[in-house]
Amino acid sequence: MAQEGKEQDVVQQYSLVVSTINNNDLRISCNNDEAIKSFQDWYTKLTNGDGKVKDGKAKYTKAIILDSARKEKFFGEYDWDQIVIDYMFTQGFTLAGDGNSIKISSGDYARQQTKLIFLSPKPGNASINKPPAYTMQ
């Protein structure tokens, strides 16, 4: 038990959310700076620097937008979720749910938005898996 008046560096478990946004983008949100930076670095390396990353402009969390990530020249419309899930597993994250967390927007350009919710590794559990060998073609 911590003594009063003394701060402890406690690493807490956190969530990371990957959601579809706009026509072909992915939005990554999380309160952990290191997780956001790691995801951004992985995406930039995987796309050979061609994948643009924009600020997600979040009020209460940190967020980035992977511009056009679901286009065929990057992850693709149908493969993006598997690529992201495999990467997150190699980082020790756990997928919470089945990806059916959806929001259907209304209007003339209605679209279904998918969310993948991941839970970080529990403190002290480091990932030892190698990243998947995805390459851009």
Side-chain angles (χ1 to χ4, degrees):
M1 189 167 170
Q3 294 178 340
E4 284 188 45
K6 289 191 176 183
E7 291 185 30
Q8 289 186 348
D9 291 333
V10 178
V11 178
Q12 299 293 324
Q13 202 170 6
Y14 54 91
S15 62
L16 184 141
V17 178
V18 178
S19 54
T20 58
I21 186 172
N22 303 327
N23 287 331
N24 296 296
D25 303 339
L26 290 175
R27 182 177 189 272
I28 316 304
S29 60
C30 182
N31 276 327
N32 184 290
D33 288 325
E34 188 177 315
I36 290 283
K37 177 81 170 104
S38 176
F39 202 103
Q40 181 174 341
D41 291 348
W42 168 74
Y43 179 72
T44 301
K45 182 179 178 183
L46 185 62
T47 61
N48 297 318
D50 294 333
K52 293 181 183 175
V53 179
K54 301 187 281 188
D55 181 13
K57 297 180 181 159
K59 186 173 182 177
Y60 296 106
T61 187
K62 293 143 185 73
I64 56 173
I65 305 289
L66 306 182
D67 190 36
S68 301
R70 293 183 293 140
K71 284 190 174 180
E72 290 304 316
K73 66 180 181 176
F74 296 120
F75 289 166
E77 181 180 359
Y78 302 108
D79 297 329
W80 72 267
D81 48 354
Q82 180 182 2
I83 294 168
V84 169
I85 290 168
D86 285 351
Y87 170 71
M88 297 305 290
F89 282 166
T90 66
Q91 301 306 300
F93 283 75
T94 303
L95 180 62
D98 59 5
N100 283 328
S101 173
I102 61 170
K103 172 185 173 185
I104 300 176
S105 59
S106 59
D108 292 339
Y109 301 100
R111 64 176 60 98
Q112 176 176 305
Q113 295 179 327
T114 303
K115 289 187 181 223
L116 298 175
I117 302 168
F118 296 93
L119 299 178
S120 69
K122 291 183 180 175
N125 291 352
S127 173
I128 57 170
N129 298 324
K130 287 178 61 177
Y134 293 111
T135 57
M136 300 308 295
Q137 298 179 3

